[in-house]
Amino acid sequence: MSIERDLNKRSGSKCELCGATENLKVYQVLPTKKGGIDESILACSTCIDQIENSDNVDLNHWRCLNDSMWSEHTPVQVVAWRMLSRLRSAGWPQELLDQMYLDEDTLAWAQATGEGEDDENKVIHRDSNGVILEHGDSVVLIKDLKVKGSSIVAKQGTAVRNIRLDHENAEYIEGKVDGQQIVIITQYVKKI
């Protein structure tokens, strides 16, 4: 069975966050170890857009977390915790967070992206021009880079899309170059 079919069955063909029935997609909850249904949710395009682009967040849309935070499915709990943490300054999300319980492993997964940390403790990734990089951004290489452990040379001007951030080191990001996932040092990239 495909992941999408399994998620549709699990969710009743509804967004596992807000309950919408239109424009549903599989959303992988990062960081993943194996992928699959245990690390994914079925979410509508509105939720996914607001998860990935914090500038587009509509606070009232996320009142749906009052229900979905109680989901029995771990990836739904993780996303609910992350969004409540992001929005906690509005008051009501903090009240919901105070009610929420996650076991140690689930909480570690939820915190793995840096969501919920105080701004002073957050690792901030910046490109060669000092522009802040976020998960999912696209960057371009500003110099040729030899990839350690292989014969690949990532050429200057290569676009790397949908980057992932290393949440322990502000100088490292991950992305695919020539179909291979590599670690790239932020001083050699420019945000597109």
Side-chain angles (χ1 to χ4, degrees):
M1 278 190 135
S2 74
I3 293 174
E4 186 170 4
R5 199 169 333 136
D6 290 344
L7 288 173
N8 269 302
K9 186 175 179 183
R10 179 175 89 185
S11 69
S13 298
K14 294 181 182 174
C15 174
E16 293 185 271
L17 299 170
C18 74
T21 56
E22 306 265 324
N23 301 317
L24 300 177
K25 298 178 189 166
V26 174
Y27 179 77
Q28 218 171 31
V29 182
L30 299 174
T32 59
K33 293 179 182 162
K34 299 178 273 183
I37 191 170
D38 294 331
E39 295 180 349
S40 302
I41 63 171
L42 191 66
C44 68
S45 57
T46 302
C47 286
I48 293 172
D49 179 53
Q50 292 186 39
I51 291 167
E52 294 180 343
N53 303 304
S54 53
D55 296 340
N56 297 345
V57 172
D58 171 13
L59 185 63
N60 284 324
H61 175 79
W62 293 103
R63 290 193 180 270
C64 61
L65 295 177
N66 190 33
D67 295 325
S68 56
M69 69 185 237
W70 302 110
S71 172
E72 64 187 270
H73 305 291
T74 306
V76 178
Q77 295 170 6
V78 167
V79 173
W81 187 92
R82 288 177 182 171
M83 290 308 297
L84 289 170
S85 294
R86 184 183 302 176
L87 304 171
R88 68 178 173 226
S89 63
W92 64 264
Q94 183 61 55
E95 292 173 19
L96 293 179
L97 263 177
D98 292 342
Q99 296 174 32
M100 197 170 184
Y101 170 79
L102 300 178
D103 63 48
E104 272 184 49
D105 292 339
T106 305
L107 183 59
W109 183 16
Q111 293 173 331
T113 59
E115 203 72 63
E117 288 182 17
D118 295 331
D119 287 340
E120 63 194 40
N121 297 333
K122 247 185 193 175
V123 175
I124 298 177
H125 296 74
R126 296 183 185 272
D127 72 1
S128 59
N129 295 326
V131 177
I132 294 176
L133 298 171
E134 294 185 23
H135 171 79
D137 282 346
S138 295
V139 296
V140 65
L141 301 179
I142 61 170
K143 91 177 236 182
D144 289 355
L145 301 174
K146 290 182 181 176
V147 178
K148 286 185 180 179
S150 80
S151 60
I152 297 174
V153 175
K155 297 288 186 186
Q156 177 179 349
T158 301
V160 182
R161 305 198 186 294
N162 197 21
I163 63 168
R164 295 182 180 183
L165 306 178
D166 181 326
H167 292 285
E168 295 175 9
N169 189 330
E171 293 184 9
Y172 295 157
I173 60 172
E174 291 182 27
K176 281 193 176 183
V177 174
D178 293 334
Q180 184 175 350
Q181 189 80 8
I182 64 169
V183 174
I184 306 167
I185 298 175
T186 55
Q187 70 185 23
Y188 301 125
V189 300
K190 183 171 70 171
K191 185 174 177 177
I192 300 177

